[in-house]
Amino acid sequence: MIQPTDKVALVTGGSAGIGKAAAWAFARRGDTVVICDRDWSRGEALADDICHEEGQAQFVQADVSREVDVAHLLKTIVDIHGRLDYAFNNAGIEGEMNETADCTLENWNRTIAINLTGVFLCLKEEIPLMLKQGGGAIVNMASVAGQVGFPTLPAYCASKGGVIQLTRAAALEYATRNVRINAVCPAVIQTEMIERITHNDPEVQAQFQHFQPMERAGHPNEVADVLLWLCSDQASFVTGQAIAVDGGYLAR
Ligand code: NAD
């Protein structure tokens, strides 16, 4: 039995992968979850599934790189729920894989627009709402690729490094106003993104698993568990952090 709370949580990129695990985690805790994604059919199906399990969920279609979409998303949340307690700015793409000199400007702009500008646009709408209601907690999706370089992913690495610095700057600004802002930095988590990057090749997937000292990929739920903690009173003195969820990757 799910015990409903009075909290409202937003997950961007919530139709698949880590975002989907996050949506289920908020819903199972009893929070009302607003799932945002540009993929309409999977987002609607997920919201239906959560509601069938006695959770509270709804889907709002939005592309986080479009200012007008993000404004509509937050307006919808205010109109329906009147508040937003937690936000997981998770939507992201890997972009194309090429060395820097071969990275097209188009790929650069698209990757930065979704992974970094998308987080910025969400923060701009979420923070005023949280300030107005007296507080909230925001978690931005970064990556270990925001802390160390990965060859052939220059735009992705730059976008995730940008998310970490944006998180720190914003966290300092609102530290005395009860809005906590943190980032999570996963290493390899088994999702469709990793299936695409590895071209579903078992040999390449095995190599990816061995990147982590734990010698396995993470499960999306293992990121969702950290997210739930950051979006709880147990993390009340934690802000401005880039928390690795990486099977020990960054300890090397
Ligand atoms: P995924 O591709 O499985 O799912 C991403 C979801 O985001 C999809 O539902 C997609 O439709 C949605 N999305 C993409 N662009 C969007 C946009 N412009 N607006 C709204 N929704 C959009 O990916 P994932 O592995 O779950 O990754 C989620 C986040 O975690 C990404 O930001 C990614 O960079 C980050 N990350 C993933 C890993 C990993 O190993 N999987 C590691 C570190 C960080």
Side-chain angles (χ1 to χ4, degrees):
M1 271 290 273
I2 293 175
Q3 293 292 334
T5 68
D6 62 351
K7 305 294 188 194
V8 178
L10 166 65
V11 179
T12 71
S15 292
I18 298 168
K20 183 175 178 178
W24 272 111
F26 279 124
R28 289 201 172 105
R29 187 165 78 173
D31 302 340
T32 297
V33 62
V34 177
I35 300 156
C36 147
D37 206 287
R38 57 184 182 183
D39 185 329
W40 182 85
S41 57
R42 292 170 103 183
E44 282 285 353
L46 175 60
D48 283 353
D49 287 349
I50 289 174
C51 292
H52 280 130
E53 297 284 325
E54 297 181 13
Q56 305 286 323
Q58 76 194 114
F59 175 70
V60 180
Q61 188 175 29
D63 177 338
V64 296
S65 68
R66 287 170 46 91
E67 190 175 16
V68 62
D69 282 21
V70 176
H72 172 258
L73 167 67
L74 270 292
K75 184 176 182 309
T76 306
I77 293 172
V78 172
D79 288 350
I80 297 175
H81 304 292
R83 61 183 298 111
L84 178 66
D85 300 280
Y86 311 121
F88 183 31
N89 298 322
N90 162 75
I93 58 165
E94 66 277 24
E96 292 162 11
M97 297 179 73
N98 270 314
E99 290 184 347
T100 302
D102 299 316
C103 172
T104 62
L105 182 59
E106 189 192 7
N107 178 55
W108 174 270
N109 285 339
R110 184 165 165 264
T111 306
I112 297 291
I114 295 174
N115 293 5
L116 179 56
T117 309
V119 173
F120 167 68
L121 292 174
C122 287
L123 288 174
K124 274 177 70 70
E125 296 284 340
E126 293 157 359
I127 291 168
L129 184 53
M130 289 180 176
L131 289 174
K132 209 166 148 193
Q133 73 195 18
I138 298 173
V139 178
N140 296 325
M141 175 52 88
S143 167
V144 293
Q147 312 242 27
V148 298
F150 283 87
T152 75
L153 285 171
Y156 186 81
C157 291
S159 71
K160 295 302 185 179
V163 168
I164 292 171
Q165 284 297 79
L166 173 59
T167 299
R168 289 176 177 144
L172 295 177
E173 290 160 358
Y174 301 101
T176 58
R177 288 179 271 175
N178 204 29
V179 177
R180 294 184 298 101
I181 306 173
N182 291 286
V184 283
C185 299
V188 175
I189 306 295
Q190 198 56 54
T191 67
E192 287 168 21
M193 180 180 282
I194 291 300
E195 289 171 12
R196 288 191 299 270
I197 292 175
T198 60
H199 306 292
N200 259 326
D201 178 332
E203 251 179 56
V204 183
Q205 292 208 340
Q207 282 170 14
F208 269 55
Q209 288 176 9
H210 281 80
F211 283 164
Q212 281 78 225
M214 286 188 182
E215 298 193 349
R216 66 174 177 86
H219 189 280
N221 289 342
E222 293 178 291
V223 182
D225 285 342
V226 175
L227 167 75
L228 278 203
W229 172 72
L230 286 168
C231 294
S232 77
D233 289 344
Q234 276 69 49
S236 54
F237 203 46
V238 181
T239 198
Q241 299 305 302
I243 297 185
V245 189
D246 68 348
Y249 183 87
L250 291 177
R252 282 202 166 118

